[in-house]
Amino acid sequence: DGKTDTQTRTFGMRNVEQGKHHIRLNGRDIHLRGVLDCAVFPLTGYPSTNVDDWKRIFTTIKEYGMNHVRFHSWCPPEAAFEAGDEVGMYLQAELPMWIKDVGKYPDRRDFFEKEMYAILDAYGNHPSFILMCNGNENEGDFAVLEDLVKKAQKYDNRRLYSASTARTHTPSDQYYVSHVTSKGWITVYEGKPSTDWDRCKESDIDVPVIAHETGQRCMYPNFEEMKKYTGVVEARNFEVFRERLAKNGMLHQANDFFRATGAHTVLQYKEVNESLLRTRNSGGFQLLGLADFPGQGSAFVGILDAFWESKGLVTPEKFRESCAPTVLLARLPKRTFRNGEKLKAKMEIYHFGKDALNSRKLNWTLTGEDGTVYHKGSLKTKSIQPATVDSLGIIELPLNGMDSARKLTLKAELGGIRNEWDVWVYPEQPKTEQHNFVYTRTWNDETKQWLNEGKNVLLIPEKCKGRKAHFASHFWNPIMFNWNPMIVGILIDNEHPAFRDFPTRNYADWQWWDILNYSTALELDELKEITPLIQSIDSYETNQKLGISFEAKVGKGKLFVLCADPEKKIDERPAMQQLLTSVRNYVSSGHFNPTKSLPVYLLDALFAPASEEKSGDKGSKAIELLLNK
């Protein structure tokens, strides 16, 4: 009758499909380099409904090479989807479901179904909304979860669905996010000195696999961040941790702890990310996290703080060397070498950029810390198609003429794409200066007599009370996961002459792997005047003074203590051999002159015979806790 009824809708034109190993967008494989969003908004206490706020968050995430956000057991507001559409971010929304008894309560189950339809009705037109999951690490009746997936797929087939992030893989899953598949662990929590490994076997299942909550290595908090809490949330967690650190006399080291553990976390995330980029059939990963999570006892796992702002640990440009649409990769058998060995690097490229890379040269150099170029060359590469992980060739070169310990960096560049990897080369037969000290494995009356006689003593105790150290920093946070050794990193007095023949920064880089994994961190709370040369940084929950190495004047003599095993598998531990050489040279030299003194009774208490620990499978219990068993 001449009347008109009009509706206006905004929607996105794209096609999302389930590929063999990857999610496919418009007929093309994509790889998800993802982060988690756990609804952390410290100024307001609730998620922003402002598009510009979400654009800031997503743009920041994109600057660090990521293209995907998983909303952990929640669905964001409309503003987030609008921002995702504009910035170009792949989003995974979830129902507010994180439960161990799925299916137990019919009313709750009905709520989840209604909420699922409501989410699809409200946000289903957004092209950024490519994945949906029922929730996080659910347990119980998976038939209920699968029923929800089937109903969602029938109701709105414009995205892919999954029954649960982690736990059980159901037949209706169109993708699977998990720690583990039927073929083994796919999530990578920590790197290794070798980079010649991947998760290809474990990722080879019937749907695309996305590694669940990778990384999770925590660092020490940055107390300067407390100034940012100007809204409804107070930084009470920071206040408690700072008070405990001050009580234990180490508040002056707070920034050093933050910087050293932060640098250590950055290098661990580089290896975690690259391991999954090397995995040709990986569907992606979801890093936990790029930003801190202040809940569950405080998880300072991010290179960004809880405000999605930089902590000043690594620039976006540097982070993108190992996390971006195109990344150069190197498969190295190890990080520490002897003079005379060969370095063999199998070069690869991860390329999920828009266009093919035309054939060109891969240029590489092996460079010292002072800028000296020891070797350089190039490899001619073929054309690289998008959505591929491909080989570029092999670099093989001799490590000759290294008469002193050196850190070298293998740098690679291809058409403006850059990456680098540090290695360490040690003399084949470390030079040891003339001994002018007594070496012992035991603190006893004879050791005390030597010190009373004014001798220099190097003590590497065979047994001592303390925490067995570990290269990787603590998992997620020390309050929720009370796992030994409860250490978040290492602070090294790298300018000290004890390290003159052992190149190191002030944090644990990869050459420390075969040292720390065979070390014991002593509890040094009673040694008030002593600052360890190798200081294990305790969790921010307890803030004890811990040390692997320290020195002191004792009586008329001088004592150097190193709590690292000098014998076990020593032929396989060149870095430990070199550290021993450097320490021996120092203790033999005139530079050995500790500034602080210790009474014998404190050392008696420190090195009292260690009681036998009760046996138990702590590792298995930790894994069971992680999997909610």
Side-chain angles (χ1 to χ4, degrees), residues 15-218:
N15 185 43
V16 181
E17 301 173 286
Q18 173 189 335
K20 181 177 181 181
H21 292 300
H22 297 84
I23 292 161
R24 294 179 63 79
L25 183 67
N26 298 331
R28 175 173 173 165
D29 288 350
I30 62 173
H31 188 259
L32 299 180
R33 302 178 302 278
V35 302
L36 267 64
D37 186 302
C38 299
V40 176
F41 291 85
L43 295 182
T44 62
Y46 60 83
S48 174
T49 56
N50 183 285
V51 174
D52 287 340
D53 289 343
W54 284 101
K55 286 175 70 174
R56 179 188 70 83
I57 292 172
F58 291 162
T59 300
T60 299
I61 292 170
K62 205 166 185 178
E63 285 175 350
Y64 285 86
M66 306 289 192
N67 61 8
H68 166 53
V69 178
R70 173 205 165 200
F71 294 94
H72 183 305
S73 60
W74 74 294
C75 180
E78 177 83 23
F81 293 98
E82 289 188 26
D85 296 342
E86 292 187 37
V87 173
M89 189 65 61
Y90 303 128
L91 305 184
Q92 173 181 319
E94 295 184 349
L95 294 175
M97 186 190 300
W98 185 2
I99 50 181
K100 297 175 73 69
D101 54 0
V102 172
K104 185 175 181 180
Y105 303 105
D107 288 346
R108 185 176 63 184
R109 183 237 171 272
D110 290 344
F111 162 75
F112 285 136
E113 182 170 346
K114 292 176 182 176
E115 184 72 1
M116 177 186 75
Y117 291 134
I119 289 172
L120 294 175
D121 287 342
Y123 310 129
N125 284 341
H126 289 282
S128 55
F129 186 9
I130 69 167
L131 302 176
M132 186 170 180
C133 182
N134 287 328
N136 181 74
E137 298 177 3
N138 292 301
E139 297 182 19
D141 187 353
F142 264 75
V144 171
L145 297 179
E146 188 166 21
D147 179 63
L148 288 172
V149 166
K150 290 179 179 178
K151 288 177 176 176
Q153 290 166 336
K154 185 178 180 180
Y155 189 76
D156 186 347
N157 65 358
R158 293 177 294 176
R159 62 198 47 79
L160 304 185
Y161 297 89
S162 185
S164 174
T165 298
R167 303 300 182 257
T168 301
H169 175 32
T170 68
S172 294
D173 287 338
Q174 293 172 294
Y175 69 99
Y176 184 42
V177 180
S178 186
H179 322 86
V180 62
T181 70
S182 59
K183 296 185 178 181
W185 282 80
I186 56 170
T187 291
V188 179
Y189 293 121
E190 59 187 82
K192 307 174 186 177
S194 164
T195 62
D196 194 10
W197 57 279
D198 53 51
R199 289 286 187 263
C200 286
K201 176 180 75 69
E202 296 81 357
S203 299
D204 187 18
I205 64 170
D206 60 331
V207 297
V209 172
I210 300 169
H212 174 55
E213 297 183 352
T214 61
Q216 304 196 52
R217 311 321 302 193
C218 63

Side-chain angles (χ1 to χ4, degrees), residues 218-221 223 237-238 240-242 244-245 293 297-301 474-479 486 488 537-544:
C218 63
M219 68 186 77
Y220 205 80
F223 295 132
N237 52 345
F238 286 87
V240 170
F241 303 147
R242 187 174 63 176
R244 291 173 181 169
L245 185 67
F293 181 68
S298 305
F300 300 106
V301 298
H474 195 72
F475 177 83
W476 188 230
N477 78 69
I479 301 167
M486 303 291 286
V488 296
I537 301 171
D538 191 15
S539 76
Y540 36 87
E541 168 69 2
T542 50
N543 284 306
Q544 282 190 288

Side-chain angles (χ1 to χ4, degrees), residues 570-587:
I570 193 63
D571 291 339
E572 303 172 16
R573 299 163 57 205
M576 182 62 199
Q577 294 180 45
Q578 187 62 36
L579 177 62
L580 288 171
T581 297
S582 188
V583 167
R584 287 169 182 153
N585 289 343
Y586 166 64
V587 175

Side-chain angles (χ1 to χ4, degrees), residues 455-482:
K455 293 184 178 179
N456 296 346
V457 176
L458 171 58
L459 171 61
I460 304 181
E462 190 169 8
K463 293 182 179 180
C464 54
K465 295 182 294 184
R467 308 185 200 176
K468 188 182 183 305
H470 186 56
F471 176 83
S473 52
H474 195 72
F475 177 83
W476 188 230
N477 78 69
I479 301 167
M480 184 177 181
F481 290 93
N482 188 8

